[in-house]
Amino acid sequence: PTRLPGATSRAGQTSAWIAADAHLHGHGCGGQRNPQDLYDLLQPASLDIASALVWGQGYDDDRPFFTGQDWEGSTSDRIVHYDLEVSGFAAALMGHQVILGLSSLDFPNQLSSLPIADWAQEQGAVDGFAHAGTWPADGTFPVAGGGDVPFEAPIRAGLGTLGFLEIEQIMGHDGQWSNGITALWYPLLNSGVAIPIVGGSDYPFLLDGAGSARTLFPAEAGTGYAGWLNAIRTGRTVVAGNRPGWLDITVDGRRMGSVLDVASGEQIEVV
């Protein structure tokens, strides 16, 4: 794997990191890529893992590649694994769910993410929403039925069934941080709801290329696709663009994903 050798935090810790793209498509939006084509995108983009999402467009083309396992041409260094985006279906009305680690694609096509979340949980999958950056930047609640806006994300967070939020464009074309994600994610965090964040390129729907938004996670969370899912479940993910550099901090010697009990007025060390 890429594992970004020699990555050293300010705390002096050296660790290996694995790079994953949570959101690629083979077909749809002009794409005509088979698993080998997607695999060939990984090394140039310095990616180790690609979640290739079957969705409404090109469904019949991509569904045969879904097995619930890594694509057979994957190697120990680079993995393509087919999963699901609920997009282009009636069930996407309240947001586009990205579901990773499935054993079946036959989801309940209802006008809410709630029954699909139950279906995904029964399979032991990790279920979240794509396009978190489309949330209104002013913090107002969006109009229901907006499609790609994750309308039901706060509801799912309150129910404890939201596995992650995904962001596809870290910076807008104006070079500014995506305020939509902060308007959605930060209030949830400040409410005491721990929601991991992941990065995915949504290529080729978005034309910035595979890995333009990516997820980095420490190899100690586990390797392979199982390690990727475990990193999400345990909140050990960092979102980055396709340029070097990301934030790795410790709080009182504990790394991301840890839970600390801190008393009022207690001093903590962040490095």
Side-chain angles (χ1 to χ4, degrees):
T2 305
R3 298 196 184 176
L4 305 173
T8 305
S9 72
R10 290 180 59 191
Q13 296 176 323
T14 300
S15 59
W17 290 74
I18 296 173
D21 190 328
H23 197 142
L24 285 172
H25 293 296
H27 290 82
C29 296
Q32 297 288 333
R33 291 178 175 85
N34 61 32
Q36 183 65 56
D37 296 327
L38 295 179
Y39 182 88
D40 291 341
L41 295 175
L42 299 186
Q43 185 171 3
S46 297
L47 289 168
D48 303 304
I49 298 171
S51 293
L53 304 181
V54 181
W55 67 304
Q57 289 192 28
Y59 182 85
D60 292 338
D61 295 303
D62 281 333
R63 178 170 180 136
F65 301 129
F66 173 84
T67 63
Q69 305 294 324
D70 297 343
W71 170 59
E72 60 184 8
S74 300
T75 65
S76 59
D77 290 329
R78 311 209 183 270
I79 293 170
V80 172
H81 189 114
Y82 279 78
D83 267 316
L84 175 68
E85 180 186 10
V86 181
S87 173
F89 304 102
L93 186 68
M94 297 299 178
H96 293 185
Q97 286 170 271
V98 171
I99 310 175
L100 308 178
L102 288 168
S103 56
S104 168
L105 291 182
D106 298 322
F107 65 92
N109 195 14
Q110 301 181 31
L111 301 182
S112 170
S113 69
L114 302 181
I116 302 175
D118 293 338
W119 167 83
Q121 187 174 28
E122 290 172 359
Q123 297 184 58
V126 184
D127 168 32
F129 277 109
H131 315 309
T134 63
W135 194 266
D138 61 3
T140 57
F141 213 82
V143 176
D148 56 347
V149 180
F151 179 84
E152 288 187 332
I155 300 168
R156 294 274 309 283
L159 293 172
T161 63
L162 180 60
F164 61 88
L165 290 171
E166 179 195 294
I167 183 170
E168 296 83 26
Q169 291 180 307
I170 300 172
M171 297 289 183
H173 293 296
D174 58 1
Q176 300 299 310
W177 168 255
S178 174
N179 290 324
I181 182 64
T182 58
L184 172 60
W185 189 40
Y186 284 12
L188 292 177
L189 296 177
N190 290 336
S191 299
V193 183
I195 303 296
I197 190 169
V198 304
S201 65
D202 199 1
Y203 181 75
F205 180 77
L206 298 178
L207 301 177
D208 296 328
S212 55
R214 65 187 61 206
T215 311
L216 301 174
F217 65 93
E220 61 199 54
T223 57
Y225 208 74
W228 161 223
L229 301 185
N230 182 58
I232 299 173
R233 290 189 180 100
T234 56
R236 308 181 78 179
T237 57
V238 174
V239 171
N242 57 4
R243 293 174 290 184
W246 67 96
L247 182 64
D248 179 18
I249 64 174
T250 64
V251 179
D252 279 354
R254 306 279 293 278
R255 298 188 67 185
M256 60 181 180
S258 302
V259 177
L260 283 75
D261 293 321
V262 181
S264 177
E266 181 180 348
Q267 290 188 342
I268 58 175
E269 182 182 42
V270 180
V271 293

